[in-house]
C-alpha cells in the first residue's frame, strides 16, 4: 500500500550572515543599522545603543526610542503636532487624526497574533510602534463601529504589493482587541503549511486532505488567545459520536480544548468550530485573513501517487475557513486582503461570489502622506538627510509613493 503522507520539497539551507542579499537587510532595517553602529562605535557606546533593542525584543516597554534616535512620544506630539497625534486608542480616533502618526499601545500590540504583527515588524521596530493613520483604515473601522448595520458583511481589501493592506488589517485587529471581539487573524500562508509535514485524505470530505496535528496546534492557539470569548459561546450543533474525554461539552472553548488535546478528532471538530463561529451571537466575531492570494495557488504538499502539487483549497484548514470568503459571521465581519499581483480573475471571482461584500482599495501615499512619513523618519533619525522638496520628489520618483518602498529608500538618506 502507498502511504498518503505528503512529500514536501526540501528547503535550501538558510543563507549565512555574510551572504544575505541586500533586500534581506531592508526587511530587517533595525538589525542592519545596529550592526553598522556596533562596527563603528566604541564598546561602551555600542552597549548603550543596543540596550533598548534587546529590551524591545524581550517585549519590555521603553520610554524613549534611542535605537534609531528621536524624542519621547510626549515631545513628538508637542513639537511636531503636524506629524503626531496623542490619541493611541483606535476606538477614539477621529477624522482629525487622519494623516498623523499614532503610537500603538504596547498591551494592545501584544494581543495581536504574531503573523499579523510580523507584516508591520519593520515599521514598528524602526521608530517605536508608530503607524500612520490613513483615511481608508479609519473608514474601515467606522464600519465596524456601526456593526448593527454591518453584521454579516465582508470587507475585501485590495491594492498593489506594499501599499498598506496589512496595515489596514492590523488596524482592524487593534479595534477588535480594544473592544473585546473574538478575533481569528491569520495570513493565508499560515494554513497551507504544516509543522509536521504530514496530511491524510479526509474521511468526511472527498478530495480534501486533513491536517490532524497542525489543526490540533491551531485549536491550542485559539483556546489560549480567545479563551474568554470562546467560553461565552454556547454550542449549538449536533455532536453525536464525539468523545469529549471528560470535557463539559457546553461552550466553544470546550470544543477548542478537545481539538487541542486530540488530533484524531481535530479534523472533524474543525468544521464544527467554523460553523459555531459563523452562528455565534454571544460575542462579536472578526475573521481577518491577510494575503488571501496564497489560497488560489498550490500548497507545498505533493500527492504520493501522482506527485502533483496539491492545491491549497484542498487542505482542510483552508477549505473550512474558505466559508468566510462567501459568508461573514452572523454577528461580525470578515476582512480579507488580496494583492493585485495575484490573479485578477480569481480575485474578481471571489468578490462576485461573496455575499454582502464591500471592496476597499488601498492607494499609495498621497503627497501629504509621503511628506509626513519622511518627516517622521527624520524626527526618528532613521533618515538623516534634511527633507526638502527636491528630496521629496526624488523619493516619490524612486518609490512611486508605495509605503513599503518609501521606508526602504528613506533609510538610504
Amino acid at each position: 500500500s502507498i502511504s498518503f503522507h505528503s512529500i514536501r520539497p526540501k528547503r535550501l539551507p538558510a543563507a549565512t550572515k555574510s551572504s544575505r542579499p541586500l533586500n534581506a537587510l531592508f526587511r530587517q532595517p533595525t538589525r542592519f543599522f545596529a550592526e553598522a553602529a556596533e562596527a563603528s562605535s566604541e564598546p561602551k557606546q555600542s552597549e548603550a545603543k543596543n540596550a533598548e533593542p534587546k529590551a524591545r525584543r524581550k517585549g519590555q516597554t521603553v520610554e524613549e526610542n534611542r535605537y534609531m534616535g528621536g524624542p519621547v512620544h510626549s515631545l513628538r506630539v508637542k513639537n511636531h503636532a503636524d506629524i503626531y497625534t496623542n490619541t493611541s486608542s483606535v476606538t477614539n480616533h477621529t477624522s482629525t487624526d487622519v494623516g498623523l502618526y499614532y503610537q500603538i499601545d504596547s498591551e494592545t500590540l501584544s494581543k495581536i497574533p504574531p503573523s499579523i504583527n510580523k507584516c508591520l515588524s519593520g515599521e514598528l521596530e524602526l521608530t517605536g510602534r508608530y503607524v500612520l493613520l490613513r483615511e481608508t483604515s479609519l473608514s474601515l473601522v467606522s464600519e465596524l463601529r456601526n456593526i448593527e448595520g454591518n453584521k454579516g458583511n465582508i470587507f475585501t481589501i485590495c491594492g498593489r504589493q506594499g501599499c498598506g493592506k496589512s496595515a489596514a488589517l492590523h488596524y482592524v485587529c487593534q479595534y477588535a482587541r480594544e473592544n473585546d471581539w473574538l478575533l481569528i487573524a491569520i495570513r493565508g500562508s499560515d494554513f497551507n503549511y504544516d509543522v509536521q509535514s504530514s496530511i491524510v485524505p479526509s474521511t468526511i470530505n472527498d478530495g480534501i486532505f486533513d491536517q490532524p496535528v497542525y489543526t490540533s496546534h491551531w485549536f491550542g492557539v485559539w483556546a489560549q488567545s480567545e479563551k474568554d470569548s470562546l467560553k461565552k459561546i454556547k454550542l449549538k450543533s449536533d455532536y453525536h459520536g464525539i468523545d469529549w474525554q471528560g470535557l463539559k461539552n457546553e461552550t466553544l472553548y470546550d470544543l477548542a480544548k478537545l481539538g487541542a488535546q486530540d488530533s484524531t478528532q481535530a479534523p472533524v471538530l474543525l468544521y464544527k468550530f467554523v460553523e459555531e463561529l459563523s452562528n455565534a451571537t454571544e460575542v462579536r466575531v472578526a475573521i481577518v485573513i491577510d494575503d488571501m492570494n496564497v489560497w488560489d495557488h498550490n500548497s507545498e504538499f505533493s500527492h504520493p501517487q501522482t506527485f502533483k502539487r496539491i492545491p491549497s483549497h484542498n487542505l482542510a484548514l483552508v477549505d473550512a475557513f474558505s466559508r468566510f470568503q462567501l459568508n461573514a459571521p452572523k454577528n461580525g465581519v470578515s476582512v480579507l486582503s488580496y494583492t493585485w499581483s495575484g490573479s485578477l480573475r480569481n480575485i474578481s471571482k471571489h468578490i462576485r461570489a461573496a455575499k454582502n461584500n464591500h471592496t476597499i482599495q488601498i492607494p499609495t501615499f498621497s503627497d501629504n502622506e509621503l511628506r509626513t512619513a519622511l518627516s517622521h523618519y527624520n524626527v526618528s533619525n532613521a533618515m538623516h538627510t534634511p527633507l526638502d522638496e527636491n528630496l521629496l520628489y526624488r523619493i516619490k520618483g524612486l518609490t512611486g509613493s508605495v509605503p513599503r518602498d518609501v521606508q526602504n529608500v528613506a533609510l538610504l538618506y
Side-chain angles (χ1 to χ4, degrees):
S1 62
I2 299 178
S3 171
F4 279 89
H5 285 268
S6 66
I7 303 171
R8 282 184 59 198
K10 291 185 178 179
R11 291 180 178 272
L12 294 176
T16 62
K17 184 175 180 181
S18 60
S19 64
R20 283 179 298 172
L22 184 60
N23 62 351
L25 297 178
F26 281 143
R27 289 196 296 271
Q28 299 174 334
T30 53
R31 185 176 299 175
F32 170 74
F33 279 95
E35 290 169 357
E38 189 172 355
S40 61
S41 303
E42 295 296 326
K44 291 184 179 180
Q45 294 177 336
S46 174
E47 291 174 6
K49 289 185 178 181
N50 285 329
E52 181 179 10
K54 288 180 180 178
R56 182 177 298 165
R57 284 194 292 271
K58 294 178 181 179
Q60 299 175 1
T61 302
V62 291
E63 293 298 327
E64 184 178 356
N65 178 14
R66 294 183 296 273
Y67 190 38
M68 295 302 296
V72 295
H73 180 65
S74 58
L75 292 180
R76 291 178 189 244
V77 175
K78 179 180 178 180
N79 299 329
H80 304 282
D82 58 331
I83 303 175
Y84 301 98
T85 175
N86 200 34
T87 306
S88 61
S89 171
V90 168
T91 306
N92 296 328
H93 280 161
T94 66
S95 57
T96 58
D97 300 310
V98 172
L100 301 176
Y101 275 85
Y102 71 99
Q103 189 174 42
I104 303 176
D105 179 72
S106 57
E107 183 179 355
T108 300
L109 189 63
S110 67
K111 295 178 181 178
I112 295 176
S115 62
I116 300 297
N117 274 337
K118 185 177 180 181
C119 302
L120 293 184
S121 60
E123 182 75 22
L124 296 176
E125 292 177 5
L126 181 63
T127 58
R129 306 196 315 274
Y130 285 98
V131 177
L132 180 65
L133 175 56
R134 306 185 69 189
E135 172 128 16
T136 46
S137 296
L138 184 62
S139 298
L140 180 55
V141 163
S142 295
E143 297 292 339
L144 302 190
R145 290 172 181 164
N146 182 31
I147 187 60
E148 289 303 325
N150 287 291
K151 286 192 296 186
N153 283 352
I154 296 175
F155 295 93
T156 302
I157 313 301
C158 295
R160 61 181 295 176
Q161 189 171 14
C163 71
K165 300 182 300 299
S166 296
L169 267 62
H170 197 281
Y171 194 72
V172 170
C173 291
Q174 293 174 54
Y175 179 82
R177 283 298 185 229
E178 288 181 8
N179 291 275
D180 298 324
W181 287 40
L182 191 158
L183 174 65
I184 302 294
I186 60 164
R187 287 182 59 79
S189 56
D190 288 341
F191 280 177
N192 65 350
Y193 176 74
D194 195 313
V195 290
Q196 297 297 321
S197 303
S198 176
I199 60 177
V200 294
S202 174
T203 57
I204 56 175
N205 295 304
D206 292 340
I208 300 299
F209 290 82
D210 289 336
Q211 303 160 272
V213 178
Y214 198 43
T215 301
S216 186
H217 158 77
W218 277 106
F219 272 127
V221 171
W222 297 323
Q224 180 178 2
S225 66
E226 309 303 317
K227 179 178 180 179
D228 293 338
S229 295
L230 291 174
K231 283 187 173 182
K232 296 176 183 178
I233 301 176
K234 300 297 182 181
L235 295 178
K236 303 173 182 65
S237 298
D238 177 22
Y239 289 93
H240 178 73
I242 298 296
D243 178 9
W244 287 92
Q245 301 181 3
L247 294 172
K248 294 181 180 180
N249 182 16
E250 294 177 354
T251 69
L252 195 51
Y253 176 73
D254 297 324
L255 187 150
K257 285 290 291 183
L258 178 61
Q261 69 186 36
D262 187 355
S263 60
T264 58
Q265 295 190 92
V268 175
L269 297 175
L270 171 64
Y271 289 89
K272 294 288 188 180
F273 183 77
V274 169
E275 182 181 355
E276 296 284 2
L277 282 180
S278 183
N279 296 319
T281 56
E282 296 86 347
V283 296
R284 306 295 190 194
V285 179
I287 306 297
V288 178
I289 307 178
D290 195 9
D291 195 17
M292 291 290 294
N293 302 77
V294 174
W295 289 4
D296 291 322
H297 300 289
N298 290 332
S299 70
E300 295 186 355
F301 299 97
S302 298
H303 196 284
Q305 292 178 321
T306 65
F307 297 102
K308 291 183 178 180
R309 298 286 286 275
I310 297 174
S312 294
H313 272 286
N314 286 18
L315 300 178
L317 279 164
V318 176
D319 180 58
F321 275 83
S322 293
R323 172 174 183 158
F324 295 115
Q325 285 183 281
L326 303 176
N327 297 280
K330 291 181 179 179
N331 194 33
V333 295
S334 293
V335 186
L336 318 171
S337 80
Y338 295 88
T339 303
W340 282 344
S341 60
S343 170
L344 290 177
R345 178 180 299 177
N346 285 333
I347 295 173
S348 299
K349 178 187 67 177
H350 295 312
I351 291 175
R352 288 194 304 269
K355 295 181 180 178
N356 301 321
N357 178 71
H358 303 267
T359 302
I360 299 175
Q361 179 179 327
I362 306 296
T364 55
F365 276 160
S366 65
D367 286 352
N368 286 336
E369 289 176 325
L370 177 61
R371 183 177 286 103
T372 300
L374 296 177
S375 299
H376 165 61
Y377 295 141
N378 261 152
V379 172
S380 304
N381 289 337
M383 188 175 82
H384 301 284
T385 304
L387 182 63
D388 56 25
E389 291 300 306
N390 288 333
L391 180 58
L392 175 73
Y393 288 106
R394 184 185 308 163
I395 292 179
K396 179 180 179 180
L398 288 170
T399 64
S401 295
V402 177
R404 183 185 298 170
D405 296 338
V406 168
Q407 175 191 313
N408 291 337
V409 171
L411 298 179
L412 300 176
Y413 286 89

